[in-house]
Amino acid sequence: MEDVCLLDSATTHTILCGKHFLSNVTLSKANVYTISGPVGIIDGSENATIVLPNGTTLHIKDALLSSRSKRNLLSFKYVRHNGYHLETIYEQNKECLCITSYKTS
């Protein structure tokens, strides 16, 4: 599960549980604010690179590291910052969220 990234439209930062996404972590404790209140699960931050299964590479500025997180949360904001668009499609009667590139003319 360490390599699985869940797209999250509500998070302001990308939160990663695996150090292998980050090149050089700056250690610093910080809180994340949830619906239940602040939770001190952040170990540090650093720029990160995520490569999706199809080879798409996303560069994340100031990703947060949380060794206590069970999943990686990828903020919609950083998908857009990398020049990609999110769209919902239906395949075989299932709703899917796709990351697609968009070109400016």
Side-chain angles (χ1 to χ4, degrees):
M1 288 297 283
E2 191 172 280
D3 285 340
V4 173
C5 289
L6 299 177
L7 283 167
D8 190 342
S9 63
T11 186
T12 57
H13 288 80
T14 292
I15 301 173
L16 304 171
C17 61
K19 287 184 181 180
H20 63 281
F21 291 111
L22 303 128
S23 56
N24 189 15
V25 178
T26 302
L27 296 177
S28 61
K29 297 290 181 187
N31 288 331
V32 172
Y33 292 89
T34 68
I35 196 166
S36 302
V39 181
I41 63 167
I42 302 303
D43 302 318
S45 65
E46 180 57 58
N47 294 338
T49 301
I50 296 174
V51 180
L52 301 177
N54 67 353
T56 300
T57 301
L58 301 175
H59 300 286
I60 312 297
K61 182 179 177 188
D62 295 326
L64 302 177
L65 174 66
S66 174
S67 58
R68 291 171 296 260
S69 179
K70 292 182 172 69
R71 293 179 183 86
N72 297 299
L73 296 179
L74 177 58
S75 172
F76 276 31
K77 172 175 75 172
Y78 292 104
V79 172
R80 300 284 297 168
H81 283 180
N82 278 271
Y84 294 96
H85 177 72
L86 296 158
E87 63 183 56
T88 303
I89 65 166
Y90 290 90
E91 285 186 359
Q92 300 173 353
N93 294 326
K94 292 183 182 177
E95 186 176 22
C96 302
L97 184 62
C98 294
I99 298 174
T100 58
S101 63
Y102 59 89
K103 303 279 185 195
T104 55
S105 316

